[in-house]
């Protein structure tokens, strides 16, 4: 089938698709609260309804946090891999009475995470599932933000065909500051930053249940851009690791800094 902005451009072999609830012409409101060990807590609220003129909305807010199960022995921090997530999403649907078979859906959201995403670097042999340790001697700071916006337009063409267009824009940002060698030694720090922008456009013609047949013809175009920056500061390097003179190099060490910037700008059409 055609690649899809809603399923990802690499989903030709299949995908697990989760569709969130769309606005309806009926009012509803649901809440959730969850508390668990490791100081885990979640509070969520979702609801919406009609606002007239064929319009309906739905809003979602979901907050989740926990203290994690990793202790930093060097900094005496029992909540080393604590995380905090906030999800906000809004949907606005329009079914005008003067255009039979037409509907539009505008979706916008924001996802924020404060906390590390990489796995723990060192796990002692004696650790159990809820008690692990690290030795970093520098406080770690990491975060990710994603802001997706999409517009879907659909028009029924008779009894068995549907024409749809989906335009998507995602802006993302991630950053991390951490101990370079994740040990008790004073061997420097690294800083990583990435900014991304993805713009996609999809056009699909669906055949639905015509003499037992279903089908899909689609056009897809996308533009993807990522800018990243890596910085190392005050790194301790033994020159014997990089020089072809082991006898001399092993006796020499240095403190170095580095900066590495990269950019990925690509188009995709299918």
């Amino acid at each position: 089938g055609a690649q899809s902005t809603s399923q990802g451009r690499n989903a030709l072999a299949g995908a697990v698709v989760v569709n969130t609830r769309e606005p309806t012409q009926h009012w509803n409101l649901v809440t959730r609260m969850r508390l668990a060990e490791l100081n885990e807590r979640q509070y969520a609220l979702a609801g919406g309804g009609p606002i007239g003129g064929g319009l309906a909305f739905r809003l979602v807010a979901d907050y989740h946090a926990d203290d994690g199960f990793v202790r930093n022995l060097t900094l005496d921090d029992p909540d080393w891999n604590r995380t905090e997530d906030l999800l906000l999403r809004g949907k606005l649907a329009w079914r005008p009475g003067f255009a039979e078979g037409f509907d539009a859906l505008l979706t916008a959201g924001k996802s924020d995470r404060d906390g590390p995403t990489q796995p723990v670097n060192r796990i002692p042999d004696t650790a159990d599932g809820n008690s692990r340790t690290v030795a970093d001697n520098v406080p770690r700071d990491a975060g990710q933000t994603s802001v997706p916006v999409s517009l879907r337009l659909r028009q029924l063409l008779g009894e068995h065909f549907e024409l749809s267009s989906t335009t998507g824009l995602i802006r993302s940002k991630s950053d991390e500051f951490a101990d370079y060698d994740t040990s008790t030694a004073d061997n420097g720090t690294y800083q990583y930053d990435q900014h991304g922008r993805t713009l996609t456009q999809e056009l699909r013609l669906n055949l639905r249940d015509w003499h037992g047949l279903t089908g899909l013809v689609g056009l897809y175009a996308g533009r993807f851009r990522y800018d990243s920056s890596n910085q190392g500061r005050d790194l301790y390097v033994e020159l014997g690791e990089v020089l072809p003179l082991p006898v001399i190099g092993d006796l020499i060490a240095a403190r170095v800094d580095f900066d590495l910037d990269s950019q990925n700008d690509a188009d995709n059409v299918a």
Side-chain angles (χ1 to χ4, degrees), residues 129-184:
N130 291 319
S131 179
R132 302 183 182 184
T133 62
V134 296
D136 305 42
N137 71 329
V138 174
R140 188 175 186 176
D141 184 29
Q144 302 82 39
T145 300
S146 177
V147 181
V149 179
S150 67
L151 175 63
R152 187 194 69 197
L153 306 175
R154 293 191 304 191
Q155 177 65 58
L156 293 178
L157 303 176
E159 193 174 341
H160 301 289
F161 289 92
E162 177 188 273
L163 181 64
S164 65
S165 167
T166 303
T167 305
L169 173 65
I170 301 177
R171 292 185 178 274
S172 60
K173 180 180 70 172
S174 61
D175 60 84
E176 184 174 17
F177 175 82
D179 188 357
Y180 183 76
D181 66 349
T182 66
S183 75
T184 58

Side-chain angles (χ1 to χ4, degrees), residues 47-263:
I51 52 178
L55 293 168
F57 77 98
R58 182 172 179 82
L59 300 176
V60 175
D62 189 338
Y63 172 82
H64 177 269
D66 68 67
D67 290 343
F69 50 82
V70 180
R71 172 184 288 272
N72 186 308
L73 299 179
T74 306
L75 301 177
D76 192 25
D77 184 353
D79 307 322
W80 179 249
N81 69 326
R82 67 176 66 86
T83 59
E84 188 174 19
D85 297 273
L86 177 63
L87 170 67
L88 301 173
R89 182 172 57 244
K91 292 188 175 186
L92 180 65
W94 184 39
R95 291 180 178 270
F98 57 83
E100 184 178 357
F102 173 82
D103 69 82
L105 178 66
L106 176 65
T107 304
K110 183 178 183 181
S111 175
D112 273 313
R113 160 164 280 218
D114 183 14
T117 58
Q118 296 183 0
V120 178
N121 291 289
R122 289 183 171 84
I123 304 174
D125 295 335
T126 57
D128 58 38
N130 291 319
S131 179
R132 302 183 182 184
T133 62
V134 296
D136 305 42
N137 71 329
V138 174
R140 188 175 186 176
D141 184 29
Q144 302 82 39
T145 300
S146 177
V147 181
V149 179
S150 67
L151 175 63
R152 187 194 69 197
L153 306 175
R154 293 191 304 191
Q155 177 65 58
L156 293 178
L157 303 176
E159 193 174 341
H160 301 289
F161 289 92
E162 177 188 273
L163 181 64
S164 65
S165 167
T166 303
T167 305
L169 173 65
I170 301 177
R171 292 185 178 274
S172 60
K173 180 180 70 172
S174 61
D175 60 84
E176 184 174 17
F177 175 82
D179 188 357
Y180 183 76
D181 66 349
T182 66
S183 75
T184 58
D186 185 15
N187 288 338
T189 62
Y190 77 87
Q191 172 79 40
Y192 171 78
D193 297 280
Q194 184 184 73
H195 296 261
R197 181 178 180 271
T198 301
L199 178 63
T200 56
Q201 177 62 55
E202 181 187 79
L203 186 65
R204 294 193 292 183
L205 179 63
N206 290 274
L207 172 63
R208 305 192 299 184
D209 195 21
W210 181 66
H211 298 293
L213 297 175
T214 60
L216 168 67
V217 176
L219 296 174
Y220 172 92
R223 184 170 183 84
F224 314 92
R225 174 163 182 161
Y226 297 94
D227 299 299
S228 61
S229 171
N230 292 272
Q231 299 176 349
R233 292 292 178 264
D234 201 27
L235 307 185
Y236 181 81
V237 178
E238 293 183 354
L239 299 187
E241 299 177 357
V242 296
L243 291 178
L245 301 172
V247 176
I248 299 177
D250 289 346
L251 300 176
I252 304 175
R255 294 282 181 175
V256 300
D257 296 339
F258 76 84
D259 292 273
L260 177 63
D261 296 322
S262 64
Q263 183 179 98

